[in-house]
């Protein structure tokens, strides 16, 4: 990340990192999405009940 | 259907054929099931419905914006609020849709005859992007003006500028509020019906209820693993 520079101007704040050119807002959204995806994979689903693992209507 | 219906399998009238078609769209009891296989108890499977919910908020807030008119949100704080509701529900719509896409990609959710579900998902992704782009063109501010003048050169270069003119705000607004939402809504219904039709995809190597082979895939290389499954 030391190559990254934050450019501030009237049009908004952007990160320039090699070929990557992204606004700070968009970068935050992308990072939040990645965090949410990671949480989705590790967080247990609430309401664990010991039931037979067969769909009743299937 | 059950035995009594068999007597009329000739299907002579349009009504009969349509009824049979509707009745067979999804297996019986699968239109709105209240139980699912155990592996569906995971957050990954929630993101399709989250996308759907966000889409409904997008539609409702967009409809209220339409009532207010094309520049309402520049002059009214209520309009500005509804505009923000619209923008942020779109942000959530896209974020949850892309997380849904990632989830389905990494579980290879096109397995077991679900290819068309994936393809309708791809179409939804593209149609939603088109809807968002025409939304940016409908802001009635310098941003939309700038975007349209940038976009016109690319679109003219590929030859569609004559009938899809981004410099025409009326045309872009109608694409945004009528044509594209209709397309997205229609493909969404198709997508969800396909999911109900095939059942939720089991995790890789899991056996779905009623299946004998993991993922319904007739791949003989996995046959040796079958005995280990419940
Ligand atoms: C408007 C956007 C979308 C909506 C409302 C939507 C909705 C849904 C819903 C409610 C499900 C049920 C299972 C679940 O949620 O996990 C589903 C499944 C699925 N979606 Fe989407 N989806 C959208 C976009 C996409 C996209 C962009 C893709 C990928 C390109 C995709 C691929 C799939 C696949 C392959 C399944 C079937 C998986 C299974 O059977 O478990 N969807 N979708």
């Amino acid at each position: 990340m030391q190559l990254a520079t934050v450019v501030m101007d009237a049009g908004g704040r952007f990160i320039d990192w090699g070929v990557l050119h992204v606004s700070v807002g968009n970068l935050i959204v992308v990072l939040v999405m990645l965090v949410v995806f990671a949480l989705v994979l590790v967080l247990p689903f609430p309401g664990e009940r010991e039931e037979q693992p067969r769909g009743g209507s299937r | 259907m059950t035995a009594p219906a068999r007597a009329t399998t000739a299907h002579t009238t349009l009504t009969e054929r349509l009824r049979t078609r509707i009745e067979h769209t999804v297996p019986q009891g699968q239109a709105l099931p209240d139980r699912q296989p155990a592996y569906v108890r995971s957050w990954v499977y929630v993101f399709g419905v989250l996308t759907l919910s966000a889409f409904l908020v997008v539609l409702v807030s967009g409809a209220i914006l339409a009532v207010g008119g094309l520049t309402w949100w520049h002059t009214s704080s209520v309009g500005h609020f509804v505009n923000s509701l619209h923008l942020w529900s779109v942000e959530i719509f896209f974020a949850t849709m892309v997380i849904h896409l990632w989830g389905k990609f990494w579980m290879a959710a096109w397995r077991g005859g679900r290819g068309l579900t994936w393809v309708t998902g791809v179409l939804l992704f593209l149609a939603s992007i088109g809807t968002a782009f025409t939304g940016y063109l409908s802001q009635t501010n310098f941003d939309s003006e700038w975007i349209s003048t940038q976009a016109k050169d690319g679109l003219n270069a590929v030859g569609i500028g004559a009938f899809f003119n981004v410099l025409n705000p009326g045309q872009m607004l109608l694409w945004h509020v009528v044509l594209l939402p209709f397309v997205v809504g229609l493909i969404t219904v198709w997508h969800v019906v396909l999911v109900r039709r095939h059942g939720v995809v089991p995790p890789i190597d899991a056996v779905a209820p009623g299946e004998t082979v993991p993922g319904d895939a007739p791949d003989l290389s996995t046959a040796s693993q079958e005995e280990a499954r419940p």
Side-chain angles (χ1 to χ4, degrees):
Chain A
M1 264 318 255
Q2 63 268 63
L3 290 174
T5 51
V6 176
V7 184
M8 275 186 73
D9 61 19
R13 296 162 72 204
F14 286 84
I15 307 267
D16 278 298
W17 190 18
V19 291
L20 197 70
H21 175 76
V22 63
S23 74
V24 172
N26 280 344
L27 183 66
I28 291 172
V29 169
V30 171
L31 292 178
V32 168
M33 284 167 62
L34 287 169
V35 169
V36 170
F37 187 57
L39 290 177
V40 158
L41 298 183
V42 295
L43 285 186
F45 198 73
E48 295 279 315
R49 273 170 296 149
E50 266 323 304
E51 278 189 66
Q52 288 156 333
R54 26 201 317 265
S57 52
R58 267 188 68 89
Chain B
M1 286 262 45
T2 44
R6 286 272 155 74
T8 58
T9 42
H11 297 323
T12 41
T13 68
L14 278 178
T15 309
E16 277 175 317
R17 265 185 264 171
L18 184 62
R19 185 183 60 221
T20 315
R21 185 73 195 78
I22 292 172
E23 282 172 355
H24 288 76
T25 304
V26 298
Q28 231 180 358
Q30 285 303 304
L32 289 171
D34 54 357
R35 287 171 66 90
Q36 286 292 321
Y39 47 73
V40 180
R41 199 190 288 154
S42 154
W43 285 110
V44 186
Y45 290 97
V46 174
F47 277 74
V49 162
L50 280 183
T51 313
L52 198 59
S53 316
F55 183 53
L56 292 182
V57 179
V58 171
L59 287 181
V60 171
S61 56
I64 301 174
L65 283 178
V67 172
L70 196 45
T71 57
W72 183 40
W73 51 89
H74 298 307
T75 54
S76 149
S77 55
V78 177
H80 192 186
F81 175 74
V82 178
N83 191 7
S84 300
L85 274 185
H86 193 62
L87 172 76
W88 284 105
S89 50
V90 169
E91 298 276 343
I92 293 171
F93 170 74
F94 272 97
T96 51
M97 172 166 37
V98 170
I99 292 172
H100 174 67
L101 192 165
W102 290 342
K104 297 305 157 190
F105 178 79
W106 289 109
M107 65 171 89
W110 48 80
R111 281 171 295 132
R114 293 176 181 83
L116 196 55
T117 317
W118 175 263
V119 169
T120 51
V122 172
L123 293 178
L124 277 172
F125 187 55
L126 296 177
S128 305
I129 291 175
T131 315
F133 280 1
T134 53
Y136 287 128
L137 293 174
S138 305
Q139 297 173 97
T140 53
N141 60 12
F142 288 128
D143 193 25
S144 52
E145 207 172 292
W146 171 262
I147 295 168
S148 61
T149 52
Q150 300 306 299
K152 76 177 192 318
D153 297 330
L155 294 172
N156 288 342
V158 294
I160 65 172
F163 52 90
F164 189 85
N165 180 6
V166 288
L167 294 179
N168 179 346
Q171 190 189 26
M172 289 307 109
L173 182 68
L174 287 173
W175 273 100
H176 181 66
V177 303
V178 180
L179 300 174
L180 288 169
F182 182 72
V183 169
V184 173
L186 212 62
I187 305 175
T188 299
V189 172
W190 185 14
H191 186 73
V192 175
V193 164
L194 281 171
V195 175
R196 292 316 327 133
R197 198 183 176 112
H198 295 284
V200 174
V201 73
I204 292 174
D205 282 353
V207 181
E211 277 180 3
T212 48
V213 180
D216 217 6
D219 180 2
L220 296 178
S221 64
T222 62
S224 59
Q225 301 169 5
E226 271 176 60
E227 294 86 62
R229 307 292 152 211

